[in-house]
Amino acid sequence: MQTGPATLLSRSIEKIRSEFPGLVEGEVRLDGAAGTLVPSTVIDAVADALRLSMANLHGEFAASQHSTETIIAARRAIADLLGGNPDGVVLGPNMTTLTFHLAATLSADWEPGDEVVVTSLDHDANVRPWVLAAERAGATVRWAEFDPDTGELPTTAFDGLLSDRTRLVAVTAASNAIGTKPDVRAITDRAHAAGALTYVDGVHATSHGPIDVAALGADFYVCSTYKVFGPHAGALIADPARLEQLKPAKLAPSPNDVPDRFERGTPALELLAGVAAAVDWIAGLTDAVGTRRERILAALSATEQHLDTLLHAALDGLSAIPNVRLLGAPRHRTSTISFVVEGHHPSEIAGKLAQQHIAVWAGDNYAYELMRRFGLSDSGGAIRASIVLYNHRGDLDRLLEAVAEIARG
Ligand SMILES: Cc1ncc(COP(=O)(O)O)c(C=O)c1O
């Protein structure tokens, strides 16, 4: 999503890098799509939460009230990050767990003859929970196929898939393998016209640019905070009124309010303290003034510009290396690139890069159906280099030089 003229980051990337203790001198970290490092303020917030006298939620005494405030602050932070109502934020351990939970809840009244639409562009965490739920309900799964030549998931991929039997359309806001950003709004509009709900996987998209759940038309939007400079947690956002209509499986004595009734067991409170700190850190990335939500939009818009510059340098550099083949060439994309080097197994390349202190992933990165469509499942998938905010031109130069040398050899 574009949000008017972009604001610049308030400080240099070098300064931003210095805020990440995990960015070790000499190491090139191009693995951010699998999880970003965290800035010191997040580490401090987690440590401070543990250092304070902690207690379980909803008690009368001060420590418990502080825990309750921690969870409320995390919900507010996620609502500001994604756009939406904190009362519709469900926190959980990660996106996969939340999605299995929602799939079980939403499919409770699916019947044989009902249909669910998933896509071959998606991470398996936004595919398998729906496929398994459909199997249990006797519902039919329909597949929207991306185009392996372009790497795009055109809205026309949904032609003929939607009908008044469609209960849900699950689609990613961005591919964690090849970065494709489908036109989510056009897809959700079509889903809504058919009377279906929409479940949008924002795990990959959220750190790459401004997000507005309402503008995307997502009935449910889910993300992982550990991909957005925060600790290991997951969050889902929906209209609280919609959550009110749902009856998740829960313990008899646990709260029955929304969103609490969707949260299972005792949350990782110290990590939730870190979630709010991560969102505050993002909000402080530019000199923009305004509400935290407005500052976040400015920050992610400035981030998007930085990533775009690096993305194009990386694409140009990789395409110029003989024997390197890029997977897809989507027009709208994040700064995540998958490629193969002809004649070399992806894990061999990742191993050689690791010896040079360059971190990339090799394999399918759980973009399981996508790798199958590319015909790469049996040959080790692809190499994935993902560029996030704290990457700089020097990281790309090291990657390009090393890949060129391996490809020559
Ligand atoms: C696009 C996408 N969706 C879902 C997931 C699963 O997220 P989690 O690890 O929070 O379950 C990932 C993780 O890599 C992802 O990249």
Side-chain angles (χ1 to χ4, degrees), residues 30 304-321 324 326 333-337 339 385 387 391-401 403:
L30 291 167
E304 196 172 38
Q305 276 191 79
H306 166 66
L307 297 180
D308 227 44
T309 309
L310 291 183
L311 167 70
H312 287 104
L315 289 174
D316 289 349
L318 284 167
S319 351
I321 304 175
V324 167
L326 300 174
R333 64 182 300 169
T334 66
S335 47
T336 292
I337 304 170
F339 61 96
I387 301 162
N391 289 118
H392 61 174
R393 185 58 214 230
D395 293 336
L396 298 189
D397 292 343
R398 292 263 305 274
L399 174 78
L400 295 172
E401 208 174 296
V403 171

Side-chain angles (χ1 to χ4, degrees), residues 48-384:
D48 286 350
L50 288 166
R51 222 175 265 120
L52 277 172
S53 169
M54 288 185 72
N56 214 330
L57 299 165
H58 306 309
E60 304 305 327
F61 53 102
S64 175
Q65 283 174 2
H66 181 72
S67 296
T68 308
E69 282 159 19
T70 302
I71 199 163
I72 290 170
R75 285 188 189 136
R76 286 201 183 117
I78 294 293
D80 280 350
L81 179 66
L82 305 176
N85 186 335
D87 294 339
V89 173
V90 178
L91 299 163
N94 50 54
M95 178 275 187
T96 304
T97 306
L98 285 168
T99 303
F100 269 115
H101 186 25
L102 262 288
T105 305
L106 287 167
S107 64
D109 67 349
W110 292 357
E111 292 172 353
D114 282 345
E115 298 182 356
V116 50
V117 179
V118 294
T119 93
S120 54
L121 185 71
D122 270 82
H123 185 287
D124 210 50
N126 201 27
V127 173
R128 215 56 47 189
W130 306 113
V131 169
L132 294 173
E135 266 171 33
R136 283 193 302 272
T140 303
V141 177
R142 301 216 173 271
W143 288 85
E145 296 289 349
F146 79 99
D147 176 351
D149 289 332
T150 60
E152 302 209 344
L153 177 70
T155 310
T156 50
F158 293 80
D159 284 355
L161 298 183
L162 298 159
S163 74
D164 59 1
R165 296 312 305 261
T166 314
R167 303 299 304 272
L168 181 118
V169 174
V171 64
T172 191
S175 157
N176 67 311
I178 57 174
T180 312
K181 290 199 286 187
D183 184 348
V184 173
R185 181 56 193 245
I187 295 165
T188 57
D189 278 350
R190 291 186 69 172
H192 289 148
L197 290 173
T198 56
Y199 191 95
V200 177
D201 177 358
V203 172
H204 186 65
T206 306
S207 71
H208 290 87
I211 298 294
D212 184 332
V213 171
L216 290 172
D219 294 314
F220 303 92
Y221 183 98
V222 67
C223 71
S224 314
T225 55
Y226 76 96
K227 309 265 171 127
V228 203
F229 315 114
H232 288 87
L236 173 133
I237 192 163
D239 183 341
R242 182 165 308 285
L243 295 179
E244 287 289 355
Q245 296 161 354
L246 301 174
K247 302 265 170 288
K250 63 174 280 297
L251 303 185
S254 66
N256 200 29
D257 308 330
V258 162
D260 305 54
R261 72 165 176 250
F262 288 83
E263 291 172 352
R264 287 179 163 168
T266 310
L269 288 162
E270 62 278 19
L271 301 184
L272 297 185
V275 167
V279 171
D280 281 336
W281 182 82
I282 292 169
L285 279 169
T286 72
D287 291 327
V289 288
T291 64
R292 180 167 61 178
R293 171 74 181 147
E294 286 163 349
R295 288 180 288 121
I296 288 168
L297 290 174
L300 289 174
S301 166
T303 300
E304 196 172 38
Q305 276 191 79
H306 166 66
L307 297 180
D308 227 44
T309 309
L310 291 183
L311 167 70
H312 287 104
L315 289 174
D316 289 349
L318 284 167
S319 351
I321 304 175
N323 296 331
V324 167
R325 179 162 58 89
L326 300 174
L327 303 195
R331 278 165 305 159
H332 303 289
R333 64 182 300 169
T334 66
S335 47
T336 292
I337 304 170
S338 281
F339 61 96
V340 291
V341 181
E342 306 296 358
H344 296 266
H345 196 278
S347 57
E348 175 210 330
I349 306 275
K352 286 187 172 157
L353 292 175
Q355 283 168 9
Q356 299 187 42
H357 305 284
I358 301 169
V360 296
W361 281 97
D364 64 17
N365 295 298
Y366 285 24
Y368 175 77
E369 301 290 346
L370 173 140
M371 280 310 158
R372 288 180 48 182
R373 305 301 190 273
F374 275 118
L376 294 170
S377 304
D378 296 333
S379 55
I383 305 137
R384 182 180 70 181

Side-chain angles (χ1 to χ4, degrees), residues 26-44:
E27 298 266 343
V28 172
R29 296 295 300 261
L30 291 167
D31 62 323
T36 47
L37 297 163
V38 294
S40 305
T41 51
V42 170
I43 299 169
D44 293 345

